[in-house]
Amino acid sequence: MPDESARATGVVFLVGAGPGDPGLFTVRGRELLGECDAIVYDALANPALLEGAGAELHDVGKRGGNTESARQADINALIVRLAREGKRVVRLKGGDPFVFGRGSEEAQALAAAHVPFEIVPGVTAGIAAPAYAGIPVTHRGVATCVTFVTGHEDEAKGAPTVDWSALARAGGTLVLYMGVRALPRIVEALLAGGLPACTPAAAVRWGTYPRQETIVATVDTLVARVAAAGLTAPVITVIGHVVALRETIAWFEERPLFGKRILVTRAHAGTSALAARLSDRGADIVHVPATRIEPLDPAPIRVAIGRLASYEWIVCTSQNAVELFWAELRSAGLDARALSIGPATADSLLARGVAADVKPARFVAEGVLEALQARDDVAGTRVLYATAEGARDILPRGLTALGARVDVVPLYRSVVERANAESLRRTFTEGALSLVTVTSASAVHALVDVVGAAVRCAPVASIGPVTSAAAREAGLDVAVEAAQSTIPGLVDAIVKHFVDDDGRELTGD
């Protein structure tokens, strides 16, 4: 039989996933997710961290009261087995692995099995959730110490080991993890230990997520307030005079789109830009692309690139066209000459070291045509128009009228993303959508095709008049239309819509 010790052994990385906001995930953690073979993740690890992961996924989330939750012994055995198969394993744990996360127990199991491992700390919810609620856990002159304690003790230990009376007298800030069900007992013990009933307290549910909810009370009213609000795990509870500082430094819940659930249907280029901009303004993003970009046969564009010197103008009107066109240029070892484009397309080109000669005032085909009509060097030229299949013919017809010879070369088509059909339908039927963003007529058609009549249940935010016309024709309620047909313009219009409705003043960018 082969020597067991001679088998290839991988490595396990115990990685803190942070409190929820993907922006708080560490650089080291992202590097490891991108190069690992397997990910073993907790229930509190934000699913967004797993998007695009090429590794095999193992859900071992522990969910309170669920008999199907993974047992710790089974988790230990799983990560040991995966490593012994020669795999690089990321054990993704909510918050920090060593702060009430049983990461040290998993490290002990790995050490006993002689499996190499590495610890990657994460931002713990006990600091992050209060910070996102505008509550510092320490503050000069208010609290010079902070105590982190679990409200869910191991029942196998028998009698409680936390001395709540001592904590009541300790002063400073008390931060409770996992203490919702035990909160009445904990509050009773703290009050019995001498903690003043009027001490400020707060409970923060889903801290750092767009659905964050914060309840502020005093120690003697906290249990009733939490029950009335129906707060359930995950909740971080903060007790101490620092809670009063929330009145002046709350920030996360003050963002203009906080509490708004917005569906982003944009596919491929610009997806992260739209979602990120909306998220930065506080929106709860549901990202389910209604379409996907499908590259066409590259032979026609390769022929055009082969005679690139014969073109005086190259016109691209979308980021997708630039990306595909640029890929063919690079493969041919060539560079672009002159392009007429919108700002996002210009940015896409500038990232590749190419500056545009013409950028229109209006970022639609009509705007491009207007910009070229104002020039005296278009007539008699040859134009390569790299575009999408089925694009409107306004631009080539207009250029031809100006005396140019136009070669239209489709690079891609936008097709319905059938794989997302069920997810999209469920998103609409479950309701609670504040807005649905659409950035093209094809996205509108795809939504109607996939979702059906339910698509009319939520108002629409359109990137511009062409998209709005398609939406209205489909019977959709266009509540928002961007003044400029760009991602920043769409986001600004959405913010203005909700700020005006809520009567709040928009501050900052």
Side-chain angles (χ1 to χ4, degrees):
M1 295 183 61
D3 183 0
E4 189 73 17
S5 63
R7 295 177 59 187
T9 301
V11 59
V12 176
F13 302 90
L14 301 174
V15 178
D21 184 345
L24 299 181
F25 192 42
T26 64
V27 173
R28 176 60 173 160
R30 290 192 184 279
E31 290 174 350
L32 293 170
L33 283 183
E35 63 185 27
C36 68
D37 302 305
I39 302 172
V40 180
Y41 61 97
D42 278 351
L44 291 181
N46 192 327
L49 299 178
L50 305 176
E51 291 178 1
E56 60 183 75
L57 301 177
H58 300 267
D59 180 358
V60 296
K62 296 177 180 176
R63 298 165 178 85
N66 187 342
T67 56
E68 296 181 0
S69 292
R71 297 187 305 123
Q72 188 60 52
D74 294 334
I75 297 173
N76 295 349
L78 174 62
I79 58 178
V80 168
R81 176 178 63 79
L82 292 172
R84 283 182 170 165
E85 291 173 358
K87 295 173 180 175
R88 291 173 62 85
V89 182
V90 167
R91 171 67 175 104
L92 194 61
K93 302 179 67 65
D96 179 274
F98 282 4
V99 180
F100 307 122
R102 303 187 73 169
S104 54
E105 295 177 42
E106 294 174 8
Q108 286 179 316
L110 292 167
H114 304 290
V115 171
F117 62 90
E118 177 183 321
I119 309 298
V120 182
V123 178
T124 183
I127 294 175
Y132 271 52
I135 302 171
V137 293
T138 66
H139 184 81
R140 185 166 59 90
V142 178
T144 57
C145 63
V146 57
T147 303
F148 299 101
V149 60
T150 176
H152 178 69
E153 292 192 81
D154 189 346
E155 297 178 358
K157 294 179 180 178
T161 59
V162 176
D163 188 343
W164 296 106
S165 295
L167 292 177
R169 299 189 301 271
T173 305
L174 182 63
V175 177
L176 305 177
Y177 291 69
M178 304 171 287
V180 177
R181 286 184 291 180
L183 193 59
R185 173 179 57 80
I186 292 172
V187 166
E188 182 181 2
L190 290 171
L191 291 173
L195 185 69
C198 62
T199 304
V204 185
R205 184 172 188 258
W206 287 113
T208 80
Y209 283 84
R211 58 183 181 274
Q212 174 176 301
E213 185 177 359
T214 304
I215 299 299
V216 176
T218 54
V219 172
D220 61 340
T221 62
L222 181 61
V223 171
R225 292 292 308 278
V226 167
L231 292 195
T232 56
V235 171
I236 291 291
T237 304
V238 188
I239 297 174
H241 292 286
V242 290
V243 172
L245 296 172
R246 171 178 161 82
E247 294 181 6
T248 56
I249 64 175
W251 63 277
F252 186 66
E253 296 161 26
E254 299 300 314
R255 297 186 299 175
L257 298 182
F258 183 81
K260 310 302 181 186
R261 194 163 186 255
I262 300 178
L263 174 64
V264 174
T265 61
R266 187 171 170 85
H268 198 45
T271 296
S272 59
L274 177 57
R277 284 176 180 268
L278 291 171
S279 181
D280 285 345
R281 286 154 178 77
D284 182 4
I285 301 300
V286 182
H287 180 217
V288 188
T291 60
R292 59 181 169 83
I293 302 305
E294 185 176 89
L296 299 176
D297 179 2
I301 192 62
R302 289 174 181 173
V303 170
I305 288 173
R307 55 172 183 257
L308 194 61
S310 67
Y311 293 107
E312 284 81 12
W313 290 95
I314 302 173
V315 180
C316 294
T317 54
S318 74
Q319 292 171 267
N320 293 317
V322 168
E323 289 185 7
L324 294 168
F325 180 59
W326 187 257
E328 292 300 331
L329 280 175
R330 289 294 301 271
S331 66
L334 298 174
D335 202 345
R337 300 298 179 88
L339 298 100
S340 175
I341 53 176
T345 311
D347 291 343
S348 182
L349 283 164
L350 283 173
R352 295 162 171 83
V354 180
D357 291 295
V358 175
K359 287 191 287 186
R362 293 194 299 139
F363 308 120
V364 290
E366 291 84 350
V368 175
L369 190 57
E370 290 167 3
L372 291 172
Q373 285 172 336
R375 300 177 67 96
D376 58 7
D377 56 354
V378 176
T381 63
R382 190 173 183 182
V383 179
L384 171 60
Y385 181 27
T387 185
E389 181 182 74
R392 295 184 303 147
D393 64 354
I394 288 176
L395 194 52
R397 283 195 295 108
L399 289 171
T400 300
L402 292 176
R405 178 184 172 187
V406 184
D407 292 340
V408 180
V409 181
L411 297 180
Y412 65 95
R413 65 167 63 97
S414 180
V415 299
V416 177
E417 183 55 277
R418 297 288 177 189
N420 291 338
E422 181 56 36
S423 181
L424 273 170
R425 283 193 289 268
R426 188 169 57 252
T427 298
F428 278 90
T429 55
E430 287 176 352
L433 282 177
S434 305
L435 209 57
V436 176
T437 63
V438 285
T439 57
S440 67
S442 61
V444 172
H445 299 150
L447 271 175
V448 174
D449 184 3
V450 170
V451 180
V455 74
R456 300 183 180 91
C457 296
V460 164
S462 162
I463 200 168
V466 175
T467 303
S468 295
R472 292 191 179 100
E473 185 178 350
L476 306 186
D477 172 22
V478 180
V480 178
E481 180 179 294
Q484 288 191 322
S485 300
T486 63
I487 295 301
L490 177 57
V491 173
D492 288 345
I494 291 171
V495 170
K496 184 177 186 302
H497 170 74
F498 283 117
V499 169
D500 288 350
D501 280 355
D502 293 348
R504 291 181 291 173
E505 180 182 357
L506 175 60
T507 58
D509 181 15

